[in-house]
Amino acid sequence: MKNFKNRFLPTLALALGLAISGCSSDDDFERLDGDDPTPTPEGTELNGNLEDDRVLDASEIYNLTGVYSVESGATLTIPAGTEIVADTDEDATGVYIVVQKGGMIDIQGTSSAPVVMRSSNGERGSWGGLVIAGDAESTAGVDATAEVGGIIYGGSNSEDNSGSIEYLVLSDAGAQINSESQYNGISLYAVGSETTIENIAILNGSDDGIEFFGGSVTATNLYLENNEDDAVDWTEGWNGTITNTYVLHSIENFSTAIEADGVDGNPTIENFTAVSSTGGVALQFKAQSGATITGLSLSGYDTALDIAEETRTDLSGIQLNGATAELDLDYSEAQTVDPAMFDWVDNRGRVSVLPGTIDEDFSLDGNSEYIINGVVSVEEGATLTIPAGTKITARSDDNDDGTSIYLVVQKGAMIDIQGTEEKPVVMSSTSGAPGSWGGLVIAGNAETTAGIDATAEVGGIIYGGDDPEDNSGSIEYLILADAGAQINSESQYNGLSLYAVGSETNIENIAILNGSDDGVEFFGGSVSATNLYLENNEDDAVDWTEGWNGAVTNTYVYHTIENFSTAIEADGVNGNPTVENFTAVSETGGVALQFKAQSGATITGLSLSGYETAIDIAEETRTDLSGIQTEGETATLEDTYETDATVDVAMFSWVE
């Protein structure tokens, strides 16, 4: 049968292969060639010194084959839709575009036709990106020499203008010169405040996404994905502003979302949302550098704030969300930047972190991937809608305590999982280890022997009432894997935990796999479930207690692991639930059905195969089995119930 192992890791684009083109003009420019530059006619090859204004043409694809230098007094204009491809056959450190001090660039992209700069092979670090040198102030001084290319930058004009950049997608940059010097996606050396930078996406870099070396330039609407060093870096007293920044990390071993170094120019950061599916450090401040950051939202990082200088005790220069920074806060506020504002970036990684509290109707995007880093609670009155094809992953590793990572639908809230056979919704963990998260918990207002407003054994969740027809929503075509985190020896999460869920709730076509506790457990209530596939859950496949009186129909249980508990465990007061067409197969023996206390059921279509014990009565004093009806008769301990399968496993072929 299928040994489903969902090792979902977000799959992100490493290169942009957009069918967009660029152009040429008839002006001449000089090629950089040692000390003896020679003129070269313009064409689709970019290489050399641009000393006169030039406008590219969006009907050609441009090949960047070396250093293309926009000299002082010249302007390079790049119209919407232009594509520039860096030649990766050359030394990566010698392939970049530089706007020299006094030169200008005018990138005229639009949301429907951004300008694209990328490498020919799509590998990170395979070219040097875009470098701009300005005449604003830097602590490096006037006419300082950049760490890359010997470029001269810096002056005294804070309002210097190096041009305009709008709607640019730049990928694969960050060529390494040596261990101390690297190119970035965009390197801004003493660039002044009259320069316009907005709507920029920097992807798949081997060093920083964007780095500010002094200057006073401001940047707005930045999308920074999987740059291996820092997403945003500044030094040399940069004092500008960045507004509306979204950082995504789904790779291991990146450095930070922000690295700040050097003298404190007190730059302003407004609305900064950073998301990691792999942990790591979010913000790092070195030396005395600081910032005023408002609208900070961090999700998924192991460390929110790191102070690199051990001797630094005064954090007053680092203002985060209106207060002095604190090392023990995680800054896991609601996202302040919606990644959908960057939908103009084709093939961007669509990964978001689900908010901890959902207190109004909230719909996910079926084309996106979502991370759970903690408890996600759908509050009373709210509905969480999950479209077909959505993937939700609990961020955990083999050593994590998964009890703090789960999705709960509170009493009075609703969930609407809209999976299909072709596109099921998938919930799993990053580690793929059984018990690495708490699964899906639903609390309802139906009846339970625990009473009204009882407290669940997990999460202190309140459940139970007097409405057997209570409706907690609908679940269709859901694959749920790796759940069952252990609280203690008596309390555990399951794959799907149903607390007093009512009969108007719809549950059908569910697969629960690789759990360390029960697949599905009913704590009272009257909900029914149809078409269940339960594979290798280490405790019970189906468990009920507290007088559950609903039904399960068309259930297939598969055991290939040792030391599971049972296919069914029934406990507590007998609500006489109905079990129709229940096929369970074991390759390792074990117990099939166990009934505790006075709990029973009416079972038809029972087929057991491979179990050493068909029915086990846990209470030795129980002699009356009349509450356990199988095929219209009172159950017997002698019968093996080894009949032909009543559920065809092929009906679960949608479970990949």
Side-chain angles (χ1 to χ4, degrees):
M1 185 40 221
K2 357 175 157 306
N3 287 312
F4 173 93
K5 297 188 183 296
N6 177 12
R7 300 294 177 264
F8 157 65
L9 290 173
T11 302
L12 303 170
L14 298 182
L16 297 174
L18 307 176
I20 306 172
S21 32
C23 82
S24 65
S25 77
D26 294 326
D27 296 330
D28 289 341
F29 67 94
E30 293 180 339
R31 179 187 302 273
L32 290 178
D33 186 15
D35 296 327
D36 185 22
T38 56
T40 302
E42 289 193 354
T44 57
E45 180 178 317
L46 302 181
N47 188 342
N49 295 343
L50 178 65
E51 296 181 339
D52 297 307
D53 294 350
R54 182 180 183 186
V55 180
L56 302 187
D57 177 353
S59 65
E60 301 286 345
I61 294 178
Y62 286 84
N63 296 311
L64 180 65
T65 59
V67 178
Y68 191 47
S69 175
V70 182
E71 298 295 299
S72 179
T75 298
L76 174 64
T77 299
I78 307 178
T82 304
E83 184 175 16
I84 297 173
V85 181
D87 186 351
T88 56
D89 291 334
E90 302 294 328
D91 175 10
T93 62
V95 183
Y96 59 93
I97 296 173
V98 55
V99 181
Q100 302 286 357
K101 182 176 173 180
M104 297 185 76
I105 192 167
D106 185 11
I107 295 178
Q108 302 173 340
T110 65
S111 60
S112 58
V115 169
V116 174
M117 297 180 181
R118 63 178 178 88
S119 72
S120 59
N121 64 7
E123 296 179 2
R124 64 181 77 242
S126 52
W127 69 298
L130 174 61
V131 183
I132 303 178
D135 193 41
E137 296 171 333
S138 163
T139 58
V142 176
D143 290 340
T145 300
E147 67 179 10
V148 297
I151 298 161
I152 303 301
Y153 70 101
S156 59
N157 181 11
S158 62
E159 298 180 353
D160 187 44
N161 186 356
S162 295
S164 176
I165 303 175
E166 296 197 14
Y167 287 102
L168 168 65
V169 179
L170 190 153
S171 63
D172 317 322
Q176 305 292 299
I177 300 169
N178 54 48
S179 61
E180 300 300 321
S181 300
Q182 305 84 20
Y183 291 86
N184 307 294
I186 297 180
S187 302
L188 301 169
Y189 285 89
V191 176
S193 63
E194 289 299 301
T195 307
T196 297
I197 300 177
E198 56 187 10
N199 296 303
I200 311 298
I202 306 175
L203 320 171
N204 192 44
S206 67
D207 204 68
D208 303 332
I210 184 169
E211 183 164 4
F212 301 85
F213 297 85
S216 49
V217 66
T218 290
T220 303
N221 300 350
L222 303 182
Y223 179 81
L224 302 152
E225 178 184 306
N226 285 342
N227 296 285
E228 284 185 340
D229 197 22
D230 313 303
V232 176
D233 193 347
W234 67 77
T235 187
E236 298 182 12
W238 173 63
N239 59 16
T241 298
I242 57 174
T243 304
N244 298 339
T245 303
Y246 192 94
V247 175
L248 173 62
H249 289 126
S250 64
I251 57 174
E252 302 283 351
N253 302 320
F254 65 90
S255 179
T256 66
I258 286 178
E259 182 184 283
D261 197 4
V263 171
D264 184 11
N266 191 28
T268 300
I269 314 297
E270 300 176 357
N271 297 336
F272 188 95
T273 294
V275 174
S276 173
S277 63
T278 60
V281 176
L283 314 180
Q284 184 179 68
F285 288 85
K286 298 179 177 180
Q288 293 304 308
S289 190
T292 298
I293 305 179
T294 58
L296 175 64
S297 170
L298 305 176
S299 299
Y301 295 90
D302 299 318
T303 303
L305 178 63
D306 176 62
I307 305 301
E309 298 291 329
E310 294 182 1
T311 58
R312 178 173 180 169
T313 57
D314 181 8
L315 303 186
S316 61
I318 308 170
Q319 294 292 306
L320 305 182
N321 291 344
T324 298
E326 297 184 40
L327 295 177
D328 58 349
L329 295 182
D330 62 12
Y331 298 97
S332 57
E333 310 292 337
Q335 292 190 359
T336 54
V337 179
D338 184 353
M341 71 184 289
F342 300 101
D343 282 349
W344 56 272
V345 184
D346 284 356
N347 297 323
R348 71 174 176 84
R350 297 176 182 270
V351 179
S352 297
V353 171
L354 287 180
T357 301
I358 298 172
D359 53 12
E360 59 184 8
D361 292 352
F362 189 74
S363 295
L364 304 188
D365 179 354
N367 295 317
S368 294
E369 299 162 345
Y370 294 88
I371 301 298
I372 294 178
N373 289 311
V375 179
V376 176
S377 177
V378 185
E379 298 295 301
E380 180 180 2
T383 298
L384 173 62
T385 301
I386 306 178
T390 305
K391 292 181 174 61
I392 298 175
T393 306
R395 191 181 75 82
S396 62
D397 60 39
D398 293 342
N399 300 314
D400 277 346
D401 175 12
T403 60
S404 61
I405 307 174
Y406 59 92
L407 173 59
V408 56
V409 181
Q410 302 286 359
K411 182 177 174 179
M414 299 184 76
I415 191 167
D416 184 9
I417 295 178
Q418 302 173 340
T420 65
E421 186 171 352
E422 295 76 22
K423 292 184 176 182
V425 169
V426 177
M427 299 181 181
S428 62
S429 73
T430 52
S431 69
S436 53
W437 70 299
L440 174 60
V441 183
I442 303 178
N445 194 43
E447 297 172 332
T448 166
T449 58
I452 295 175
D453 291 339
T455 301
E457 67 179 10
V458 298
I461 298 161
I462 303 301
Y463 71 103
D466 57 6
D467 181 8
E469 297 181 351
D470 187 44
N471 186 355
S472 295
S474 177
I475 302 175
E476 296 195 12
Y477 287 101
L478 169 66
I479 298 172
L480 197 156
D482 314 325
Q486 305 292 299
I487 300 170
N488 54 48
S489 61
E490 300 299 321
S491 300
Q492 304 84 20
Y493 290 86
N494 307 293
L496 177 61
S497 301
L498 300 169
Y499 284 90
V501 176
S503 63
E504 288 299 302
T505 306
N506 178 60
I507 300 177
E508 57 184 356
N509 295 302
I510 313 296
I512 305 176
L513 320 168
N514 194 43
S516 67
D517 203 67
D518 303 332
V520 59
E521 183 164 4
F522 301 85
F523 296 85
S526 48
V527 67
S528 294
T530 303
N531 300 350
L532 304 181
Y533 179 80
L534 303 150
E535 179 183 305
N536 286 343
N537 296 284
E538 291 178 358
D539 197 21
D540 313 304
V542 177
D543 192 345
W544 68 77
T545 187
E546 298 183 12
W548 172 61
N549 59 17
V552 291
T553 305
N554 298 339
T555 303
Y556 194 98
V557 176
Y558 188 47
H559 288 128
T560 67
I561 58 175
E562 302 285 347
N563 301 320
F564 67 89
S565 179
T566 66
I568 286 179
E569 180 185 283
D571 196 6
V573 171
N574 186 14
N576 192 29
T578 301
V579 179
E580 300 177 6
N581 298 335
F582 189 95
T583 295
V585 176
S586 173
E587 295 183 1
T588 60
V591 175
L593 315 182
Q594 184 179 68
F595 290 86
K596 297 180 178 180
Q598 294 304 309
S599 189
T602 298
I603 307 174
T604 58
L606 177 62
S607 170
L608 305 177
S609 176
Y611 295 90
E612 294 165 343
T613 302
I615 296 180
D616 175 63
I617 304 301
E619 298 291 330
E620 295 181 1
T621 59
R622 178 172 179 170
T623 57
D624 181 8
L625 303 187
S626 61
I628 309 169
Q629 294 291 306
T630 58
E631 313 305 334
E633 299 180 353
T634 298
T636 68
L637 300 181
E638 293 77 23
D639 199 331
T640 63
Y641 299 98
E642 290 190 7
T643 63
D644 291 341
T646 55
V647 178
D648 184 356
V649 70
M651 70 183 292
F652 300 103
S653 60
W654 55 272
V655 184
E656 297 294 336

